Amino acid sequence: MTTIFSSMKGLNFNIVQRRALRLGSKKHFTCFCTKMTMKPSSNIWIRRQQCPCGDWKCFVKYEGNDQTSVSSQLIKNETTSTSSSSEAVFMPYVGQIFKTDEDAFEYYSNFARKNGFSIRKARSTESQNLGIYRRDFVCYRSGFNQPRKKANVEHPRDRKSVRCGCDAKLYLTKEIVNGVTQWYISQFSNVHNHELLEDDQVRLLPAYRKIQEADQERILLLSKAGFPVNRIVKVLELEKGVQPGQLPFIEKDVRNFVRTCKKSVQENDALLTEKRENDTLELLEACKAMAERDADFVYDYTTDENSKVENISWSYADSVRAYTVFGDVVTFDTTYRSITYGLLLGVWFGIDNHGKPVFLGCALLQDESLNSFAWALQVRGHNYLFPICNCLIVYLWLSSFEQTFLRFMRGRCPQTVLTDIDSSLRDAIARELPDTKHVICSWHVHSKLSSWFTPSLGSQYEEFKAEFDMLCHLEGIEEFEHQWNHLVARFELASDKHIALLFSYRTSWPLSYIRSYFLARSMTAEFYQSLDEFFKRILSGQTCLQLFFEQVGFAADLRNRSKEALQYMHTKTCLPIEENARSILTPYAFNALQHEIVLSMQYATTELANGSYLVRHYKKMEGEYLVIWISQDEQIHCSCKEFEHSGILCRHCLRVLTVKNYFEIPEKYILFRWRLESSLVALEDRNGQCNSDEYAQVFHSLAATLLTESLFTKERFNHVHRELSRLLEHVQNMPVSNEFASNMAANNISES
């Protein structure tokens, strides 16, 4: 027995790696390849994963993010099924009953994996009356390998076998009880004549090395794109967030799978090519039909030398109208691409007066060739929005930017463009558009931190991230650079390429550098959540481009947006300035301004000789802020630059206006983009605000009396608190009529 153990110990691991295809994987791979040949895959949209550092081996795994792709959902399902199989599984016993033989096999397989071996299906016995009435499941090392006739080659391969006559087994027998078929264990043995494997080895047995269908599609697409097998494995490890070597399959499995499916892939490519051509023609016909129905709808396309559609782009009349009001700040998103069609997607968004994204236009490009991007810039026709960019031809892209983009937007250039990290794009914007500020979205920076720094920092990453977040919000440039050097030195990141990349972009993402750039609150977490929701609505697994076009049109159509119900906006300070702003601003903008008004009460002012003011917190927790006041034309400017940054007056300016006995905010400091009248969608009845004021006065009076009475004793307070909590829960569960809801929407505006 000792001899058997020692001779097989070194055999397990190597044979497991060598025989993936022969011992159970070949059938699985062949079935998938056949399936792919029969039916092209659905339209899968994924995030771009190439790291902007320029290293082709470096890929980004986005932190805390659902990637809005079919693949990510399948990975999640795979993880769920794995965790469910890891639940406690007890040793099988004679007499144990299962509904089906497959249930029994799954149970025994889970038990085997937990105990360091795998199983296979052996013999089955069949009768004319019962059909198959017996199933034999045995250890993967049961029996002995039958000698094969040697091939007529000069150096035949001497394949060693893992079979050693192991007697571990589970026999099932079928019976019918009260008309119900069931299976029970008639024989069971758990005696092995070989060494059982540890967890890190048992997962490499062929029975447990399976490439899920989502991974198979990904592998084939990456292979077709020219990725070598070792790089494909690296990409999958990054996407799943696992350590190297921890995938449920090994590199050789991937190589065998690609080789086995090579012919099927070629056949499937022909089907996909035909599908792309047909779907693109359908998309073009949909654009033509839309242009006939709506004269303000614009589109354009190109064809190749065979008169087949290559690239196509479109926009809507609502988008042009929205840009006239909300075109001061534009977010350019090039995050997604379709791996089924090989199409690149670029989408332009604005932010409206309710803090929600406004669709401005999009484009689909067949490839990243120079001709495709050149067409995207030199659009034929009138009033067109330039679509997507690529770092390889960004200078060409921006050289046509002013002609196409400004013509589409009727000569008006945005104050600020927000994008992802792209070094060529940064340089080109500075050269070609000196009057437009280029900002890197903070979300794009933070979403990459985990992928960049967790491998090198390990357990120190959370501490690094906390300090990095604090550094992002520093107001002074000198302080930022000082703290940056301290951060780099403390975590020993001086030679890190990603730290160097971020520092080279420092003029585009930290608050200390962009505090004077107008962003209209488009870098808030809420805005980016809204962008994600928009993409989830249009990037589902459509089977054709026409459905994608319809979903984009539905999401972009302002008529399909729900009316903005005017939430009740109660005042907190009773200052005339607050009351005046409440009647002019949207709830979103008023909430931001009200927060500043409330905090302004905590600041003291000191008038200087030139009429300006020094404003500081009464506890002196912050530094001083200089507020310049020019009375001749009612100009006010603060050193914090909040108004220049968001279009909302800061607490320091509001404090000075209060001191100067202003009962209304000067007209120039209530931007049209934040006003109720600038809404793209009709608002609900504003008369409800007056009724809400009356209701609020009643509640305030009642609440004040209740508070006074409840503070006499602790028992009174506890009783009031308990009853109010119960009452609140009851009211929240009550149905709300549409008529009353429009006039009395609950005030759920965050006070943060």
Side-chain angles (χ1 to χ4, degrees):
M1 187 65 69
T2 305
T3 305
I4 295 176
F5 282 145
S6 60
S7 63
M8 298 305 299
K9 184 175 182 180
L11 200 61
N12 295 330
F13 189 80
N14 294 329
I15 293 181
V16 161
Q17 292 192 14
R18 283 205 310 268
R19 306 187 60 208
L21 199 57
R22 291 180 56 207
L23 297 182
S25 302
K26 184 173 183 179
K27 181 178 179 181
H28 184 65
F29 292 166
T30 305
C31 290
F32 174 76
C33 294
T34 304
K35 180 179 178 182
M36 284 197 63
T37 306
M38 298 293 292
K39 177 179 73 70
S41 58
S42 59
N43 191 4
I44 301 176
W45 297 88
I46 63 169
R47 289 186 182 275
R48 296 191 306 173
Q49 296 157 331
Q50 183 67 53
C51 180
C53 70
D55 185 353
W56 68 269
K57 295 177 291 185
C58 187
F59 288 81
V60 175
K61 177 182 180 296
Y62 292 91
E63 181 178 5
N65 170 50
D66 177 10
Q67 296 201 17
T68 317
S69 72
V70 174
S71 299
S72 64
Q73 185 61 41
L74 291 173
I75 291 172
K76 181 178 180 181
N77 294 340
E78 177 190 337
T79 305
T80 303
S81 63
T82 302
S83 62
S84 64
S85 66
S86 64
E87 297 175 356
V89 179
F90 299 101
M91 181 180 292
Y93 57 89
V94 174
Q96 187 173 359
I97 296 175
F98 300 92
K99 291 183 178 180
T100 66
D101 55 339
E102 289 299 327
D103 289 345
F105 182 80
E106 182 180 358
Y107 186 89
Y108 191 25
S109 179
N110 291 337
F111 170 79
R113 182 163 189 167
K114 284 287 186 181
N115 289 272
F117 66 101
S118 67
I119 61 172
R120 57 183 170 85
K121 296 178 180 179
R123 184 179 55 182
S124 62
T125 307
E126 185 176 4
S127 72
Q128 188 172 3
N129 295 330
L130 293 176
I132 296 177
Y133 66 90
R134 174 169 166 166
R135 292 279 195 188
D136 295 353
F137 305 144
V138 297
C139 174
Y140 77 113
R141 302 188 67 175
S142 172
F144 296 95
N145 198 40
Q146 298 297 324
R148 297 182 179 181
K149 183 178 179 180
K150 293 186 177 181
N152 188 21
V153 293
E154 183 177 355
H155 300 289
R157 297 178 62 181
D158 185 17
R159 296 179 180 269
K160 295 182 180 180
S161 173
V162 297
R163 299 192 179 185
C164 61
C166 179
D167 195 42
K169 60 192 175 186
L170 184 151
Y171 292 170
L172 278 179
T173 301
K174 181 167 70 173
E175 63 178 357
I176 300 177
V177 179
N178 297 326
V180 179
T181 301
Q182 62 185 24
W183 295 77
Y184 69 92
I185 299 177
S186 55
Q187 292 187 50
F188 174 70
S189 173
N190 196 39
V191 178
H192 299 264
N193 65 349
H194 56 88
E195 184 177 9
L196 300 178
L197 304 179
E198 299 294 334
D199 288 342
D200 61 338
Q201 291 182 323
V202 73
R203 69 180 183 84
L204 295 173
L205 291 174
Y208 308 128
R209 293 205 325 263
K210 294 181 179 179
I211 304 179
Q212 300 296 329
E213 185 170 326
D215 295 328
Q216 292 172 353
E217 292 188 12
R218 191 84 172 103
I219 289 169
L220 291 178
L221 288 166
L222 292 172
S223 176
K224 186 175 63 175
F227 282 56
V229 171
N230 62 337
R231 189 178 172 192
I232 292 175
V233 173
K234 176 69 173 176
V235 171
L236 293 175
E237 289 172 344
L238 289 170
E239 289 179 346
K240 290 177 175 287
V242 299
Q243 296 297 320
Q246 295 302 310
L247 289 171
F249 46 85
I250 60 176
E251 185 175 309
K252 188 169 184 179
D253 295 333
V254 177
R255 184 171 289 106
N256 289 336
F257 170 69
V258 172
R259 185 185 302 118
T260 303
C261 292
K262 185 176 181 179
K263 182 178 179 180
S264 297
V265 168
Q266 294 173 348
E267 296 172 353
N268 190 58
D269 280 349
L271 289 177
L272 282 177
T273 300
E274 182 180 0
K275 177 178 174 62
R276 288 170 185 161
E277 294 173 359
N278 293 337
D279 287 358
T280 307
L281 284 175
E282 290 180 0
L283 174 60
L284 178 59
E285 291 301 321
C287 288
K288 292 179 179 178
M290 177 66 73
E292 292 176 359
R293 296 194 303 268
D294 183 359
D296 294 322
F297 174 82
V298 289
Y299 74 98
D300 201 1
Y301 66 96
T302 62
T303 57
D304 60 15
E305 62 276 7
N306 298 319
S307 300
K308 296 178 180 178
V309 178
E310 284 185 319
N311 310 307
I312 191 165
S313 188
W314 67 91
S315 189
Y316 303 91
D318 282 345
S319 300
V320 178
R321 182 165 66 92
Y323 186 85
T324 60
V325 182
F326 305 116
D328 41 17
V329 178
V330 176
T331 298
F332 183 37
D333 195 294
T334 58
T335 302
Y336 291 94
R337 63 174 294 148
S338 168
I339 60 176
T340 303
Y341 290 98
L343 295 172
L344 306 175
L345 173 64
V347 185
W348 288 90
F349 294 101
I351 179 172
D352 70 7
N353 54 342
H354 296 277
K356 296 181 179 179
V358 180
F359 175 87
L360 298 178
C362 73
L364 293 171
L365 302 182
Q366 196 67 250
D367 54 44
E368 299 182 69
S369 68
L370 186 63
N371 291 335
S372 293
F373 283 99
W375 166 81
L377 302 173
Q378 300 169 358
V379 180
R380 299 184 294 271
H382 64 283
N383 288 348
Y384 209 77
L385 176 68
F386 73 96
I388 193 170
C389 72
N390 180 275
C391 61
L392 297 177
I393 59 161
V394 113
Y395 283 100
L396 173 63
W397 176 61
L398 284 172
S399 65
S400 300
F401 177 92
E402 290 179 327
Q403 298 176 12
T404 57
F405 181 71
L406 295 180
R407 184 168 64 249
F408 177 74
M409 295 309 171
R410 299 173 182 175
R412 180 184 173 190
C413 188
Q415 296 182 38
T416 311
V417 174
L418 290 85
T419 71
D420 198 350
I421 300 176
D422 188 312
S423 58
S424 297
L425 180 59
R426 174 196 61 184
D427 297 339
I429 287 178
R431 173 180 171 178
E432 303 292 339
L433 297 169
D435 296 329
T436 296
K437 306 297 183 183
H438 178 213
V439 173
I440 303 301
C441 302
S442 59
W443 182 88
H444 287 301
V445 174
H446 284 82
S447 65
K448 297 176 175 64
L449 292 181
S450 177
S451 179
W452 282 349
F453 300 111
T454 298
S456 59
L457 296 179
S459 60
Q460 288 185 300
Y461 170 72
E462 291 301 328
E463 187 177 356
F464 165 82
K465 184 181 177 183
E467 291 197 21
F468 186 89
D469 290 341
M470 180 187 67
L471 185 144
C472 291
H473 294 90
L474 295 177
E475 295 186 357
I477 294 179
E478 293 183 2
E479 184 181 8
F480 169 84
E481 296 191 353
H482 173 74
Q483 293 296 332
W484 178 270
N485 293 332
H486 174 75
L487 181 76
V488 171
R490 180 182 175 187
F491 292 97
E492 299 178 350
L493 296 171
S495 60
D496 188 276
K497 61 184 177 183
H498 297 120
I499 279 288
L501 178 69
L502 287 174
F503 190 71
S504 70
Y505 276 90
R506 65 188 181 279
T507 59
S508 300
W509 60 268
L511 178 63
S512 54
Y513 284 92
I514 65 172
R515 61 190 300 199
S516 61
Y517 296 178
F518 184 61
L519 299 180
R521 299 176 63 84
S522 58
M523 290 230 296
T524 62
E526 293 78 11
F527 180 69
Y528 276 96
Q529 289 173 1
S530 298
L531 287 183
D532 282 341
E533 291 171 1
F534 182 91
F535 279 117
K536 287 178 182 178
R537 290 198 299 271
I538 68 171
L539 298 184
S540 59
Q542 310 96 349
T543 56
C544 67
L545 292 178
Q546 185 175 357
L547 288 178
F548 169 74
F549 173 76
E550 292 174 359
Q551 290 187 202
V552 171
F554 185 85
D557 193 341
L558 297 177
R559 293 172 297 180
N560 296 323
R561 296 181 63 171
S562 59
K563 290 185 178 181
E564 298 292 344
L566 285 181
Q567 295 175 312
Y568 171 61
M569 301 178 289
H570 64 84
T571 57
K572 299 180 179 179
T573 65
C574 297
L575 291 175
I577 279 182
E578 183 184 15
E579 183 65 37
N580 172 250
R582 184 175 70 155
S583 64
I584 299 175
L585 298 174
T586 62
Y588 176 81
F590 176 73
N591 179 51
L593 180 66
Q594 186 183 56
H595 180 66
E596 298 296 316
I597 291 175
V598 171
L599 293 179
S600 71
M601 309 294 289
Q602 302 176 13
Y603 285 78
T605 61
T606 303
E607 187 172 6
L608 303 179
N610 60 358
S612 299
Y613 287 83
L614 283 180
V615 182
R616 71 163 61 90
H617 194 269
Y618 80 103
K619 289 185 178 180
K620 298 184 179 180
M621 296 176 62
E622 306 173 18
E624 295 179 334
Y625 293 91
L626 176 63
V627 177
I628 300 175
W629 169 252
I630 304 175
S631 59
Q632 289 81 355
D633 51 0
E634 294 185 322
Q635 288 191 41
I636 191 166
H637 306 279
C638 181
S639 59
C640 77
K641 304 291 185 181
E642 177 61 29
F643 181 77
E644 291 81 355
H645 192 66
S646 67
I648 302 293
L649 273 181
C650 66
R651 62 200 68 171
H652 317 111
C653 289
L654 290 167
R655 183 58 180 162
V656 170
L657 289 177
T658 303
V659 170
K660 303 296 288 185
N661 295 323
Y662 267 77
F663 301 114
E664 294 182 358
I665 297 177
E667 195 77 8
K668 68 178 71 175
Y669 294 109
I670 301 183
L671 299 184
F672 180 73
R673 70 157 2 267
W674 294 130
R675 296 179 180 230
L676 288 166
E677 58 192 285
S678 66
S679 298
L680 297 173
V681 180
L683 299 171
E684 296 285 4
D685 185 11
R686 296 178 58 180
N687 294 328
Q689 186 69 47
C690 299
N691 296 332
S692 298
D693 289 339
E694 297 176 5
Y695 294 131
Q697 291 177 7
V698 174
F699 275 112
H700 287 167
S701 176
L702 181 61
T705 304
L706 187 60
L707 177 62
T708 302
E709 293 294 332
S710 66
L711 293 180
F712 280 109
T713 65
K714 185 176 181 180
E715 289 74 16
R716 283 192 178 192
F717 175 81
N718 291 337
H719 175 74
V720 170
H721 182 270
R722 183 172 56 255
E723 293 301 320
L724 283 179
S725 299
R726 186 180 299 132
L727 177 62
L728 177 60
E729 182 179 0
H730 175 71
V731 171
Q732 288 175 334
N733 293 328
M734 291 175 63
V736 181
S737 67
N738 293 334
E739 179 181 358
F740 193 74
S742 64
N743 295 330
M744 277 296 296
N747 180 26
N748 292 325
I749 301 176
S750 171
E751 296 184 5
S752 60

